Amino acid sequence: MNDVSQIRRLQLIMEGGVPNTVPNVLSNAKKLRRIFCQEGFFYPSPLSNKHLRVVHRLGANSLKTISSPFKFHHLRYLDLSYSNIKVVHATSISQLYNLQTLNLNHGQSVEELLNHISSLNNLRHLDFSSSDAKVVPDSVMKLTNLQALDISGCTGISVLPIDIGSLQNLSSLNISETKITELPDSVCSIYNLKRFNFMFCKELKALPSKLGALTQLRSLNLLDTRITELPESLTSSNNYNKLEIVSLGYRCKFPKNIKNWVELKQLTYDGETNRAIMPRGIEMLTCMEVLTPYLVRKEISNNSTSSIQELANLNSLREIWIMNLENVRGGKIEAEKAKLKHKKNIQYLFLRWEPEQEEEDELFAATMVLEGLQPHPNLESLSIQGFPGLKPPKWMGSSSCLPNLVELNFYDCRSCGNLVALGQLPCLRVL
C-alpha cells in the first residue's frame, strides 16, 4: 500500500497490534472518510486526516486500551466498544462537536468519558450497554437532541435520573437487564418515545400511572420483569396510542380490553395460559401479524359458542398460537368461524387443547373442531398439542390442502394413533 492519497474508505485487519508502517502510510490519506478496524484499534494523524467521519470496530470482542486523544472534530460515528478509556484522554471527547453516534458497548471507565459529553449537541445515538457504568451521568440529560439511549446490561445501574424527561427527542430507551426498581414519573413526558424495552429488568415492579401519555410509543417489552399489570392509562378507551409490539412477562396480567390498540402488530405473553383471560377487543386489531397466544374463551351466555370468531377478520396474521381449544363446543361449524382457511399470510400455526377427562363425545367433538380449523394452503409449519381425538382430520394428509407444509409437530396427542396419508405432503421435511 503506497499511494493512499485518494482513498476514502479503509478496512484494517491487524493481528498483534498496529504495525509501525501504518501511521506513516496513512499520513497521506488526506481524503479518508471511514476506517473499519478488525482485531485492533487505530487512529491516524488528526493533522492529516481532517475529513475522517467514521471510526468503527469490526467484530470487537476483546478489551482494548485507548490511549490516543480524540481530535477528529468532523467525526460523525465513533465506535469505542470493548475499550478502556484512559482518564487523561477522556476530556478530549468534548471537542467532537459533530459527533452523532457514540458506541461504548462493553466499555470500561466509561463514566469518566460520559461526564464530558454534555457539549455534544449533535449526538443522536448513545450506547453504553453492558459497560461498567454505575449511574446515568447528569451530562447525558443535557443531550437534548438524543434520539436513542441504550443502557441495557448495566447491572450497576439501579435508578434513572429524575429529570430524564428533559430528553424530549428520545425515541428509543433500552434499560433491559439492569437492576432498576422503579421509573420516575418524568419518563411519561418524553412524548416522542417509540420503543421502551424493560426485558429482564427482574427488579422492576411497576410502571408509571401516566404511561399512556406516551402516545407515540410503538414497542413495549416487559418480559421477565416483576410487573403484574399495565397502567389503566395505557388501555383507556379515551387514550389513542400507536402501540405496534407488546410483550408481557409471566407475572403480568392481560388488560381487560385492548380495542384501542388498533395499530398493534405483535402481542406475546409469557405467562401461564391456563390462568390468563384473553382481553376483549381482539377482533378490532386487524393489523395483527403475530398473536402468541390467543386464548379461546367460553362464552357464559351460551355454552355452545366461544370467542374464536374474534379471529375472523385478522387477515394479516403470520403466526398464531390458538390455545384452550376445549372451549370450542360447537364442533366444525363453530371452529370455521375463525376463518383460518382464508388467512393466506399465516405461515406458523400452533393449536393446543388443555388436558381434560376424555369422554367419547368429547373426543369426537375435538376431531370436528380440528376439521373446522383447516388452514390456508400457504401454511409452512403446523404444531398440535394435547389433541384428544382418535385421528387427524382429512385435510392434514392432503397435498391439495397443505402443499407447502414443511414442518408438522404433534405433542401429547395420546389418543391419536393413526396418521394416514402424510406421505402425500410434497414439501414435508420435519415430522
Side-chain angles (χ1 to χ4, degrees), residues 84-141:
N84 185 4
I85 314 299
K86 285 190 175 181
V87 175
V88 68
H89 297 297
T91 56
S92 64
I93 200 168
S94 63
Q95 305 299 316
L96 304 182
Y97 301 118
N98 293 295
L99 196 64
Q100 296 179 2
T101 298
L102 178 58
N103 185 359
L104 302 171
N105 174 265
H106 283 89
Q108 291 188 7
S109 305
V110 299
E111 282 187 34
E112 180 63 28
L113 187 144
L114 290 172
N115 286 330
H116 295 90
I117 66 172
S118 58
S119 61
L120 306 184
N121 295 325
N122 289 308
L123 200 63
R124 302 291 191 270
H125 308 277
L126 177 59
D127 179 356
F128 53 98
S129 58
S130 301
S131 69
D132 62 351
K134 300 295 189 295
V135 297
V136 180
D138 293 337
S139 57
V140 175
M141 297 303 102

Coordinates of all heavy atoms in Angstrom, one line a residue, residues 84-141:
N84 N -11.1 0.4 27.0 CA -10.8 1.0 28.3 C -10.3 2.4 28.0 O -9.2 2.5 27.5 CB -9.9 0.1 29.1 CG -9.6 0.6 30.5 OD1 -10.2 1.6 30.9 ND2 -8.7 0.0 31.2
I85 N -11.0 3.4 28.4 CA -10.6 4.8 28.1 C -9.7 5.3 29.2 O -10.1 5.4 30.4 CB -11.8 5.7 27.9 CG1 -12.9 5.0 27.1 CG2 -11.4 7.1 27.3 CD1 -12.4 4.7 25.7
K86 N -8.5 5.7 28.9 CA -7.6 6.3 29.8 C -8.2 7.7 30.2 O -8.6 8.5 29.4 CB -6.2 6.5 29.3 CG -5.4 5.2 29.2 CD -4.0 5.4 28.9 CE -3.2 4.1 29.0 NZ -1.8 4.3 28.7
V87 N -8.2 8.0 31.5 CA -8.8 9.2 32.1 C -8.2 10.4 31.5 O -8.9 11.4 31.2 CB -8.6 9.2 33.6 CG1 -9.2 10.5 34.2 CG2 -9.4 8.0 34.3
V88 N -6.9 10.4 31.2 CA -6.2 11.6 30.7 C -6.7 12.0 29.4 O -6.6 13.2 29.0 CB -4.7 11.3 30.7 CG1 -4.3 10.3 29.6 CG2 -3.9 12.6 30.4
H89 N -7.3 11.1 28.6 CA -7.8 11.4 27.3 C -9.3 11.6 27.2 O -9.8 11.9 26.2 CB -7.4 10.3 26.3 CG -5.9 10.2 26.1 ND1 -5.1 11.2 25.7 CD2 -5.0 9.2 26.4 CE1 -3.8 10.9 25.6 NE2 -3.8 9.6 26.1
A90 N -10.0 11.3 28.3 CA -11.5 11.4 28.3 C -12.0 12.8 28.0 O -13.0 12.9 27.3 CB -12.0 10.9 29.6
T91 N -11.3 13.8 28.5 CA -11.8 15.2 28.3 C -11.8 15.6 26.8 O -12.6 16.5 26.4 CB -10.9 16.2 29.1 OG1 -9.6 16.0 28.7 CG2 -11.1 15.9 30.6
S92 N -10.9 15.0 26.0 CA -10.8 15.4 24.6 C -12.1 15.1 23.8 O -12.3 15.7 22.7 CB -9.6 14.8 23.9 OG -9.7 13.4 23.9
I93 N -12.9 14.2 24.3 CA -14.1 13.9 23.5 C -15.1 15.0 23.5 O -16.0 15.1 22.6 CB -14.8 12.6 24.1 CG1 -15.7 12.0 23.1 CG2 -15.6 12.9 25.4 CD1 -16.2 10.6 23.4
S94 N -15.0 16.0 24.4 CA -15.9 17.1 24.4 C -15.7 18.0 23.2 O -16.5 18.9 22.9 CB -15.7 17.9 25.7 OG -14.4 18.4 25.8
Q95 N -14.6 17.8 22.5 CA -14.3 18.6 21.3 C -14.9 18.0 20.0 O -14.9 18.7 19.0 CB -12.8 18.7 21.1 CG -12.1 19.3 22.3 CD -12.5 20.7 22.7 OE1 -12.7 21.5 21.8 NE2 -12.7 20.9 24.0
L96 N -15.6 16.9 20.1 CA -16.1 16.3 18.9 C -17.6 16.8 18.7 O -18.6 16.1 18.8 CB -16.1 14.7 19.0 CG -14.8 14.1 19.3 CD1 -14.9 12.6 19.4 CD2 -13.8 14.5 18.3
Y97 N -17.7 18.0 18.3 CA -19.0 18.7 18.3 C -19.9 18.2 17.2 O -21.1 18.4 17.3 CB -18.7 20.2 18.0 CG -17.9 20.9 19.1 CD1 -16.7 21.5 18.7 CD2 -18.3 21.0 20.4 CE1 -15.9 22.1 19.7 CE2 -17.5 21.6 21.4 CZ -16.3 22.2 21.0 OH -15.6 22.8 22.0
N98 N -19.4 17.5 16.2 CA -20.2 17.0 15.1 C -20.6 15.5 15.3 O -21.3 14.9 14.5 CB -19.5 17.1 13.8 CG -19.3 18.6 13.4 OD1 -20.3 19.3 13.2 ND2 -18.1 19.1 13.4
L99 N -20.2 14.9 16.4 CA -20.5 13.5 16.7 C -22.0 13.2 16.8 O -22.7 13.9 17.5 CB -19.7 13.0 17.9 CG -19.6 11.5 18.1 CD1 -18.7 11.0 17.0 CD2 -19.0 11.2 19.5
Q100 N -22.4 12.2 16.1 CA -23.8 11.8 16.1 C -24.1 10.5 16.8 O -25.1 10.3 17.3 CB -24.4 11.8 14.7 CG -24.4 13.2 14.0 CD -24.9 13.1 12.6 OE1 -25.3 12.0 12.1 NE2 -24.9 14.2 11.9
T101 N -23.1 9.6 16.7 CA -23.2 8.3 17.3 C -22.0 7.9 18.1 O -20.9 8.0 17.6 CB -23.5 7.2 16.2 OG1 -24.6 7.4 15.5 CG2 -23.6 5.8 16.9
L102 N -22.2 7.5 19.3 CA -21.1 7.1 20.2 C -21.4 5.8 20.8 O -22.4 5.6 21.5 CB -20.9 8.1 21.3 CG -19.8 7.8 22.4 CD1 -18.5 7.7 21.7 CD2 -19.8 8.9 23.5
N103 N -20.6 4.8 20.5 CA -20.8 3.4 21.0 C -19.7 3.0 22.0 O -18.6 2.9 21.7 CB -20.7 2.4 19.8 CG -21.1 1.0 20.2 OD1 -21.3 0.7 21.4 ND2 -21.0 0.1 19.2
L104 N -20.2 2.8 23.3 CA -19.3 2.4 24.4 C -19.7 1.1 24.9 O -19.4 0.8 26.1 CB -19.4 3.5 25.5 CG -19.0 4.9 25.1 CD1 -19.4 5.9 26.2 CD2 -17.6 5.0 24.7
N105 N -20.3 0.3 24.1 CA -20.7 -1.1 24.5 C -19.6 -1.9 25.1 O -18.5 -1.9 24.5 CB -21.3 -1.8 23.3 CG -21.7 -3.2 23.5 OD1 -20.9 -4.1 23.3 ND2 -22.9 -3.4 24.1
H106 N -19.8 -2.5 26.3 CA -18.9 -3.3 27.0 C -17.6 -2.5 27.3 O -16.5 -3.1 27.5 CB -18.5 -4.5 26.2 CG -19.5 -5.6 26.2 ND1 -20.5 -5.7 25.3 CD2 -19.6 -6.7 27.0 CE1 -21.3 -6.8 25.6 NE2 -20.8 -7.4 26.6
G107 N -17.7 -1.2 27.5 CA -16.6 -0.4 27.8 C -16.3 -0.3 29.3 O -17.1 -0.7 30.1
Q108 N -15.1 0.1 29.6 CA -14.6 0.3 31.0 C -14.2 1.7 31.1 O -13.8 2.4 30.2 CB -13.5 -0.7 31.3 CG -14.0 -2.1 31.4 CD -12.9 -3.0 32.0 OE1 -11.8 -2.6 32.4 NE2 -13.1 -4.3 32.0
S109 N -14.4 2.2 32.4 CA -14.0 3.6 32.7 C -14.9 4.6 31.9 O -14.5 5.7 31.5 CB -12.6 3.9 32.5 OG -11.7 3.0 33.2
V110 N -16.1 4.1 31.6 CA -17.0 5.0 30.7 C -17.5 6.2 31.4 O -17.8 7.2 30.7 CB -18.1 4.1 30.0 CG1 -17.5 3.0 29.2 CG2 -19.0 3.6 31.1
E111 N -17.7 6.1 32.7 CA -18.3 7.2 33.4 C -17.5 8.5 33.3 O -18.0 9.6 33.1 CB -18.6 6.9 34.8 CG -19.8 6.0 35.1 CD -20.1 5.9 36.5 OE1 -19.9 6.8 37.3 OE2 -20.6 4.8 36.9
E112 N -16.2 8.3 33.3 CA -15.3 9.5 33.2 C -15.4 10.1 31.8 O -15.4 11.4 31.7 CB -13.8 9.0 33.4 CG -12.8 10.1 33.3 CD -13.0 11.2 34.4 OE1 -13.5 10.9 35.4 OE2 -12.6 12.3 34.1
L113 N -15.6 9.3 30.8 CA -15.8 9.8 29.5 C -17.2 10.5 29.3 O -17.3 11.6 28.7 CB -15.6 8.7 28.4 CG -15.6 9.1 27.0 CD1 -14.7 8.3 26.2 CD2 -17.0 9.0 26.4
L114 N -18.2 9.8 29.9 CA -19.6 10.3 29.8 C -19.7 11.7 30.5 O -20.6 12.5 30.1 CB -20.6 9.3 30.4 CG -20.8 8.0 29.6 CD1 -21.6 7.1 30.4 CD2 -21.4 8.3 28.3
N115 N -18.9 11.9 31.5 CA -19.0 13.2 32.2 C -18.6 14.4 31.3 O -18.8 15.6 31.7 CB -18.1 13.2 33.4 CG -18.8 12.3 34.5 OD1 -20.0 12.2 34.6 ND2 -17.9 11.7 35.4
H116 N -18.0 14.1 30.1 CA -17.5 15.2 29.3 C -18.2 15.3 28.0 O -17.7 15.9 27.0 CB -16.0 15.0 29.0 CG -15.1 15.1 30.2 ND1 -14.8 14.0 31.0 CD2 -14.5 16.2 30.8 CE1 -14.1 14.4 32.0 NE2 -13.9 15.7 31.9
I117 N -19.4 14.7 27.9 CA -20.1 14.7 26.6 C -21.3 15.7 26.5 O -22.0 15.8 25.5 CB -20.7 13.3 26.2 CG1 -21.7 12.9 27.2 CG2 -19.5 12.3 26.2 CD1 -22.4 11.6 26.8
S118 N -21.5 16.5 27.5 CA -22.6 17.4 27.6 C -22.6 18.5 26.5 O -23.6 19.1 26.1 CB -22.7 18.1 28.9 OG -21.5 18.9 29.2
S119 N -21.4 18.7 25.9 CA -21.3 19.7 24.8 C -21.6 19.1 23.4 O -21.6 19.9 22.5 CB -19.9 20.3 24.8 OG -18.9 19.3 24.6
L120 N -21.8 17.8 23.4 CA -22.1 17.2 22.1 C -23.5 17.3 21.7 O -24.3 16.4 21.7 CB -21.7 15.7 22.1 CG -20.2 15.4 22.6 CD1 -19.9 13.9 22.5 CD2 -19.2 16.2 21.8
N121 N -23.9 18.5 21.2 CA -25.3 18.8 21.0 C -25.9 18.1 19.8 O -27.1 18.0 19.6 CB -25.5 20.3 20.7 CG -25.1 21.1 22.0 OD1 -25.4 20.7 23.1 ND2 -24.5 22.3 21.8
N122 N -25.0 17.6 18.9 CA -25.5 16.8 17.7 C -25.6 15.3 18.0 O -26.0 14.6 17.0 CB -24.5 17.1 16.6 CG -24.6 18.5 16.0 OD1 -25.7 19.0 15.7 ND2 -23.5 19.2 15.9
L123 N -25.3 14.9 19.2 CA -25.3 13.4 19.4 C -26.8 12.9 19.4 O -27.7 13.5 20.0 CB -24.7 13.1 20.8 CG -24.3 11.7 21.0 CD1 -23.2 11.3 20.1 CD2 -23.9 11.5 22.5
R124 N -27.0 11.9 18.6 CA -28.3 11.3 18.4 C -28.4 9.9 19.0 O -29.5 9.5 19.5 CB -28.6 11.1 16.9 CG -28.6 12.4 16.1 CD -29.7 13.3 16.4 NE -29.8 14.5 15.5 CZ -29.2 15.6 15.7 NH1 -28.4 15.8 16.7 NH2 -29.4 16.6 14.8
H125 N -27.3 9.1 19.0 CA -27.3 7.7 19.5 C -26.2 7.5 20.5 O -25.0 7.7 20.2 CB -27.2 6.8 18.3 CG -28.2 7.0 17.2 ND1 -29.5 6.5 17.2 CD2 -28.1 7.7 16.0 CE1 -30.1 6.9 16.1 NE2 -29.3 7.6 15.4
L126 N -26.6 7.1 21.7 CA -25.6 6.8 22.7 C -25.8 5.5 23.3 O -26.9 5.1 23.8 CB -25.7 7.9 23.9 CG -24.8 7.7 25.1 CD1 -23.4 7.7 24.7 CD2 -25.1 8.8 26.1
D127 N -24.8 4.6 23.2 CA -24.9 3.2 23.7 C -23.7 3.0 24.6 O -22.6 2.9 24.2 CB -24.8 2.3 22.5 CG -24.9 0.8 22.8 OD1 -24.9 0.5 24.0 OD2 -24.9 0.0 21.9
F128 N -24.0 2.8 25.9 CA -23.0 2.3 26.8 C -23.5 1.0 27.5 O -23.3 0.8 28.7 CB -22.5 3.3 27.8 CG -23.5 4.1 28.6 CD1 -23.8 3.7 29.9 CD2 -24.2 5.2 28.1 CE1 -24.7 4.4 30.7 CE2 -25.1 5.9 28.8 CZ -25.4 5.5 30.1
S129 N -24.2 0.2 26.8 CA -24.8 -1.0 27.3 C -23.7 -2.0 27.7 O -22.6 -2.0 27.1 CB -25.7 -1.7 26.2 OG -24.9 -2.0 25.0
S130 N -24.0 -2.8 28.7 CA -23.0 -3.8 29.3 C -21.7 -3.2 29.7 O -20.7 -3.9 29.6 CB -22.8 -4.9 28.2 OG -24.0 -5.6 27.9
S131 N -21.7 -1.9 30.0 CA -20.4 -1.3 30.4 C -20.4 -1.3 32.0 O -21.2 -1.9 32.6 CB -20.4 0.2 29.9 OG -21.4 0.9 30.6
D132 N -19.3 -0.7 32.5 CA -19.1 -0.7 34.0 C -19.8 0.5 34.6 O -19.5 0.8 35.8 CB -17.6 -0.7 34.3 CG -16.9 0.5 33.8 OD1 -17.5 1.3 33.0 OD2 -15.7 0.6 34.2
A133 N -20.6 1.3 33.9 CA -21.3 2.4 34.4 C -22.2 2.1 35.6 O -22.9 1.1 35.6 CB -22.1 3.1 33.3
K134 N -22.2 2.9 36.7 CA -23.0 2.7 37.8 C -24.2 3.6 37.9 O -25.2 3.4 38.6 CB -22.2 2.9 39.1 CG -21.0 1.9 39.2 CD -21.4 0.5 39.4 CE -20.3 -0.5 39.7 NZ -19.3 -0.5 38.6
V135 N -24.1 4.7 37.1 CA -25.2 5.7 37.1 C -25.3 6.3 35.7 O -24.3 6.1 34.8 CB -24.9 6.9 38.1 CG1 -24.9 6.4 39.5 CG2 -23.6 7.6 37.7
V136 N -26.4 6.9 35.4 CA -26.5 7.7 34.2 C -26.1 9.1 34.5 O -26.9 9.8 35.2 CB -27.9 7.6 33.6 CG1 -28.1 8.4 32.3 CG2 -28.3 6.2 33.4
P137 N -25.0 9.6 34.1 CA -24.5 10.9 34.5 C -25.4 12.1 34.1 O -26.2 12.0 33.1 CB -23.1 11.1 33.8 CG -22.8 9.7 33.4 CD -24.0 8.9 33.2
D138 N -25.4 13.2 34.8 CA -26.2 14.3 34.5 C -25.8 14.9 33.2 O -26.7 15.5 32.5 CB -26.0 15.4 35.6 CG -26.5 15.0 37.0 OD1 -27.4 14.1 37.0 OD2 -26.0 15.5 38.0
S139 N -24.6 14.7 32.7 CA -24.2 15.2 31.4 C -25.1 14.6 30.3 O -25.3 15.3 29.3 CB -22.7 14.9 31.1 OG -22.5 13.5 31.2
V140 N -25.6 13.4 30.5 CA -26.4 12.8 29.4 C -27.7 13.5 29.3 O -28.3 13.6 28.3 CB -26.6 11.3 29.8 CG1 -27.6 10.6 28.8 CG2 -25.3 10.5 29.7
M141 N -28.2 14.0 30.5 CA -29.5 14.7 30.5 C -29.5 16.0 29.7 O -30.5 16.6 29.4 CB -30.0 14.9 31.9 CG -30.2 13.7 32.7 SD -31.4 12.5 32.0 CE -30.4 11.3 31.2

